[in-house]
Amino acid sequence: KQGMISIEVSLTNELHSNARPDLNVDGVISIGTLTQVIYIKKPINASTGIKTQLFKVDESQEQAEKIAITYGQESGEFIQILTGALEHDTFILSDMSRWNDSRHIAITQ
């Protein structure tokens, strides 16, 4: 099944009275924790350690500027931003390859 793996579990305490063989168990495996992290929903082609450019939306929400960012660790659908972003920044995550030669774009509704 997608996103699922089988593992063997060894129980160290006495089993509950309704425990039975081959009982399914749901669990979460945590391999690390990051704190004080800036992250965004992972854009297409984003991966750990990559340096790229994204359009950052300005405070007026009327234009966006292309800025350099560096991705850090990824987890599921999110990826850390190591450089190029501050808390509460807004980025355009859609495919913007059409505007590769542009440094600024106007946002219209």
Side-chain angles (χ1 to χ4, degrees):
K1 297 174 188 173
Q2 193 175 45
M4 300 178 87
I5 60 170
S6 295
I7 61 169
E8 289 188 29
V9 176
S10 176
L11 303 174
T12 57
N13 294 333
E14 188 174 320
L15 295 177
H16 194 272
S17 62
N18 65 355
R20 59 187 192 279
D22 295 325
L23 184 66
N24 287 334
V25 177
D26 290 332
V28 175
I29 299 172
S30 177
I31 57 173
T33 302
L34 299 174
T35 58
Q36 304 292 317
V37 174
I38 296 174
Y39 63 93
I40 58 173
K41 194 164 186 173
K42 187 167 47 173
I44 295 174
N45 298 326
S47 60
T48 299
I50 298 293
K51 293 179 182 181
T52 190
Q53 295 184 332
L54 289 178
F55 281 98
K56 182 174 95 171
V57 179
D58 72 359
E59 290 181 16
S60 71
Q61 306 271 314
E62 294 177 356
Q63 59 182 321
E65 177 184 8
K66 190 184 292 183
I67 62 162
I69 63 157
T70 304
Y71 294 126
Q73 299 296 313
E74 53 185 298
S75 178
E77 63 182 292
F78 298 99
I79 192 159
Q80 177 186 21
I81 298 181
L82 293 176
T83 62
L86 299 174
E87 188 176 4
H88 304 296
D89 282 351
T90 302
F91 292 92
I92 299 174
L93 303 180
S94 304
D95 178 12
M96 298 297 287
S97 58
R98 180 176 177 181
W99 292 278
N100 274 346
D101 295 335
S102 301
R103 187 85 189 131
H104 291 84
I105 59 169
I107 299 173
T108 59
Q109 298 203 9

